[in-house]
Amino acid sequence: MTTTTPAATATHCPYCSLQCGMLLAPTAIGSAVPVHVRERADFPVNRGALCGKGRSAAALLGPGTRLSTPLVRTDGGELRAAGWDEALDRVAAGFAAIRAEHGADAVGVFGGGGLTNEKAYQLGKFARVGLGTATIDYNGRFCMSSAAAAGRLAFGLDRGLPFPLADIPHTDCLILVGANPAETMPPALRYFRELRENGGTLIVVDPRRTRTAEQADLHLQPLPGTDLALALGLLHLLIADGTVDTDFVAERTAGFEQARAAAMAHWPERVEALTGVPMHQLREAARQFGQARTGMVLTARGPEQQSKGTDTVGAWINLCLAAGKAGRPYSGYGCLTGQGNGQGGREHGQKADQLPGYRSIEDPVARAHVAAVWGVDPDTLPRSGRSAYELLDSLGRPGPDGVRALLVMGSNPVVSAPRAAHITGRLRKLELLVVCDAVLSETAQLADVVLPSTQWAEETGTMTNLEGRVILRQQAVAPPPGVRSDLRILRELAERLDAPADFDDDPETVFAELRRASAGGQADYAGLDYRRLRAEDGVFWPCPTADHPGTARLFLDRFATPDGRARFAPVTHRPAAEQPDPEYPLYLTTGRVLAQYQSGAQTRRVAELTAAAPGPFVELHPRLAARLAVTDGEPLAVVSRRGRALAPARITDTIRPDTVFMPFHWSGPGRANTLTNPALDPTSKMPEFKVCAVRVEKVLT
């Protein structure tokens, strides 16, 4: 008698925006986890390569790491196990009572950039139709919202990368600003290595000499918060050197004269004084980029998570436009999205001002189109709501603007929000906090009701990676008994609230509805279906019809503005919202490390990853350490105007002497976002995570 080995399931990693392809193969009966991860060499993004997070992802599916029953808070303040009907009835009754007494906007929804497109779409629909609230936003606001805003202003359209990652090795010069893919998305590093192997030049801009910066031909190490001045200074040098592509500027852009005037006020001596980057490095970077036949600028959270992030990205886009390196093969501006579905998550309705298809919620035509798909009167749809931090800051406040109940799905703001201790306090003020999650995150620990939801390998759904490639995650294992999908949770809540629209919990059915809602919008998914996504390893949007090939490369013929021309941004340098002073003399910047991801709610539960990165640390230069008489590993306190975080010292010459760095993955005393500044970019509403003023103190033991 022979037995047949069950086939492995082709799916995708649960972590970053690469959405690396992987295979999940069944394990032997009695194994600690139901599947193990295998390479999937045929997926074009990662070509089989996986980082440690991806290789160990199946550990999250094992027992003991996740929730298996709803929890409700008792009168005594403890969380106890409950049945689904009890938990859902309590949530629905609470939402209904608060809505009846204080109005629909008193009930809020906070989503996540890791939710599938189906979940993001259904969550936005649930907020606007099931609850009737304008109070919805998501943690993707903390990711690439500044780049999205700048891209829309410049090009009329926002997609993380307007070209596939495979184009990167074929460009002649690439400037990577505030990104560390060697640690944040390691399988992508091969594209930058291949660029150099092909004779291209890699320029990295980062206050730290990261593992990525060590790969660069030229590393510019600016003062945190001065990326805008740096970009303006490089444009000044392009103009002075005569390497502006005047034909391209005349034929395909608008607004150059204002950008030119701003750049001319940022001469090399001034930019060196503002940024700390030596003039000879500025001139070399401008020469390399200006003289290259093709070129790209890619940004990430470094320049974007600033109170002037939109202007900063706009200045880097200006550099591309002036050099004629946009809207052409192997050239352009792009953003390295962070979260797994940071792109799709905002395209289909989680963001406070958007409807599915990347439509504005204030546009009457868009409202009518989406309302028709939902079967409701467009006049019943709410208008724009508050951005993520503004929403979180309003929690539990008295008066008509206070949010009294909150549904959190796929996010952990206790760790991830700026001024995190303050936001934790606001969450405690709520009358009702409901959290849907696979694990008991720090935010779930504060909840009145916790609803256990399925994980990535236990469900099917689509994601949109940083290239704009829509891919299909496929269910590989059954969820544990007692766990339900987020789609089912939303359907059951909508039914209990007598929502005036249908809510399905089959992901393929929801995706079909999403396609209709997105049809004709900028992010048009109408031509996609699950069969096609399986067969083609994903398809690039926009894809308006079933016979459309998808759009791997944007802007080659025209930009998405009304006249087809890209717009220069009229920007000039201004300092960060908070500057060092005698009381807080140092800059703090934050970021990720190789073995951990985002708030750590998942990765801190994987033993292999915890062993590699067991806790937070404070990175400081030897000169600063000597001045403070600090030794490596010594406990330190980092103090800002908002709070205090404790972590051991890590002394390294890879950071500037005036700057300290902390990773943000941990809760407890080492919670870095206790320190960060919630000052908001006026356009994107992005908080200024990447720069604030601090002091460092030795901890007395």
Side-chain angles (χ1 to χ4, degrees), residues 64-97:
T65 62
R66 39 118 35 107
L67 298 166
S68 59
T69 184
L71 304 173
V72 298
R73 196 165 297 279
T74 67
D75 292 340
E78 302 297 320
L79 285 172
R80 66 163 175 83
W84 274 100
D85 284 340
E86 179 189 357
L88 292 170
D89 287 348
R90 181 166 171 177
V91 173
F95 285 170

Side-chain angles (χ1 to χ4, degrees), residues 263-579:
M264 296 316 291
H266 293 79
W267 55 91
E269 292 84 357
R270 183 188 179 201
V271 173
E272 180 182 63
L274 288 169
T275 67
V277 177
M279 281 191 290
H280 71 90
Q281 290 189 348
L282 296 171
R283 295 186 188 280
E284 179 62 13
R287 185 188 68 80
Q288 291 278 4
F289 191 73
Q291 294 182 7
R293 182 178 55 87
T294 58
M296 298 175 178
V297 172
L298 304 181
T299 66
R301 307 300 81 74
E304 297 163 17
Q305 287 182 327
Q306 299 185 28
S307 60
K308 55 182 184 297
T310 302
D311 284 359
T312 301
V313 173
W316 288 104
I317 292 174
N318 285 354
L319 189 69
C320 288
L321 296 177
K325 296 178 174 64
R328 288 174 169 172
Y330 307 128
S331 291
Y333 164 77
C335 166
L336 298 180
T337 313
Q339 294 187 82
N341 203 29
Q343 184 70 49
R346 71 180 179 283
E347 291 169 3
H348 298 300
Q350 288 189 96
K351 196 160 172 279
D353 57 352
Q354 287 180 192
L355 288 171
Y358 223 135
R359 289 180 160 94
S360 168
I361 200 169
E362 300 295 338
D363 178 1
V365 175
R367 292 169 65 85
H369 173 85
V370 174
V373 174
W374 290 346
V376 299
D377 184 337
D379 290 339
T380 65
L381 297 179
R383 299 285 173 170
S384 296
R386 286 167 277 199
S387 71
Y389 182 79
E390 293 169 317
L391 189 164
L392 295 171
D393 188 46
S394 72
L395 300 179
R397 292 193 182 279
D401 294 331
V403 174
R404 298 167 186 269
L406 183 69
L407 171 64
V408 177
M409 184 173 284
S411 188
N412 188 17
V414 165
V415 178
S416 64
R419 198 184 174 196
H422 168 73
I423 296 304
T424 302
R426 298 258 52 91
L427 287 162
R428 294 182 187 277
K429 296 288 186 182
L430 286 167
E431 295 175 29
L432 178 62
L433 173 61
V434 182
V435 175
C436 299
D437 210 326
V439 298
L440 193 65
S441 69
E442 286 78 4
T443 303
Q445 290 172 31
L446 301 181
D448 299 290
V449 181
V450 182
L451 303 175
S453 55
T454 49
Q455 293 195 67
W456 58 288
E458 300 162 352
E459 59 188 12
T460 294
T462 62
M463 306 284 281
T464 305
N465 82 344
L466 77 169
E467 307 165 296
R469 185 193 303 261
V470 185
I471 53 95
L472 182 65
R473 281 187 184 170
Q474 300 192 97
Q475 182 178 358
V477 296
V483 173
R484 294 183 180 178
S485 72
D486 291 317
L487 292 178
R488 182 175 175 185
I489 292 168
L490 292 173
R491 175 180 67 77
E492 296 209 25
L493 287 175
E495 289 172 352
R496 283 169 166 81
L497 291 164
D498 296 322
D502 293 330
F503 285 77
D504 207 290
D505 59 10
D506 173 64
E508 192 163 6
T509 302
V510 175
F511 189 70
E513 184 179 301
L514 178 159
R515 292 164 55 203
R516 297 195 301 276
S518 74
Q522 286 191 328
D524 191 333
Y525 286 28
L528 305 178
D529 58 38
Y530 280 17
R531 177 203 56 78
R532 184 174 178 187
L533 297 179
R534 283 191 190 97
E536 299 181 30
D537 273 334
V539 180
F540 293 87
W541 70 259
C543 184
T545 61
D547 59 355
H548 190 283
T551 312
R553 296 171 182 85
L554 299 171
F555 313 137
L556 295 182
D557 299 318
R558 68 191 310 275
F559 296 99
T561 56
D563 61 4
R565 290 172 173 265
R567 305 287 194 267
F568 279 89
V571 298
T572 190
H573 173 70
R574 61 183 186 275
E578 186 175 80
Q579 293 293 300

Side-chain angles (χ1 to χ4, degrees), residues 11 22 40 129 131 160 177 190 217 321 463 506 514 542 553 605 614 631:
T11 190
M22 60 170 55
R40 183 180 162 196
V129 177
L131 294 171
V177 189
R190 69 167 59 187
D217 297 284
L321 296 177
M463 306 284 281
D506 173 64
L514 178 159
R553 296 171 182 85
R605 288 171 166 81
T631 58

Side-chain angles (χ1 to χ4, degrees), residues 62-232:
T65 62
R66 39 118 35 107
L67 298 166
S68 59
T69 184
L71 304 173
V72 298
R73 196 165 297 279
T74 67
D75 292 340
E78 302 297 320
L79 285 172
R80 66 163 175 83
W84 274 100
D85 284 340
E86 179 189 357
L88 292 170
D89 287 348
R90 181 166 171 177
V91 173
F95 285 170
I98 289 169
R99 184 172 62 179
E101 183 176 355
H102 301 287
D105 289 350
V107 182
V109 174
F110 197 81
L115 300 179
T116 63
N117 288 315
E118 292 81 357
K119 293 179 183 181
Y121 169 82
Q122 200 81 310
L123 189 64
K125 178 181 175 182
F126 176 76
R128 280 136 185 155
V129 177
L131 294 171
T133 183
T135 310
I136 176 173
D137 212 83
Y138 80 127
N139 63 15
R141 181 78 72 166
F142 301 155
C143 180
M144 57 177 288
S145 58
S146 294
R152 289 175 67 84
L153 290 170
F155 306 127
L157 177 69
D158 153 49
R159 196 178 82 185
L161 295 181
F163 41 71
L165 282 163
D167 283 2
I168 287 174
H170 303 288
T171 196
D172 292 329
C173 182
L174 189 146
I175 303 178
L176 189 61
V177 189
N180 183 17
E183 297 197 62
T184 60
M185 48 179 67
L189 196 62
R190 69 167 59 187
Y191 293 103
F192 302 99
R193 288 187 180 129
E194 289 170 6
L195 178 152
R196 297 188 68 208
E197 290 167 3
N198 290 341
T201 299
L202 176 62
I203 300 171
V204 171
V205 179
D206 200 304
R208 303 166 63 225
R209 191 172 72 248
T210 63
R211 297 183 188 185
T212 303
E214 289 173 351
Q215 304 288 323
D217 297 284
L218 178 62
H219 174 207
L220 309 182
Q221 203 165 359
L223 196 67
T226 63
D227 310 89
L228 175 52
L230 179 59
L232 287 163

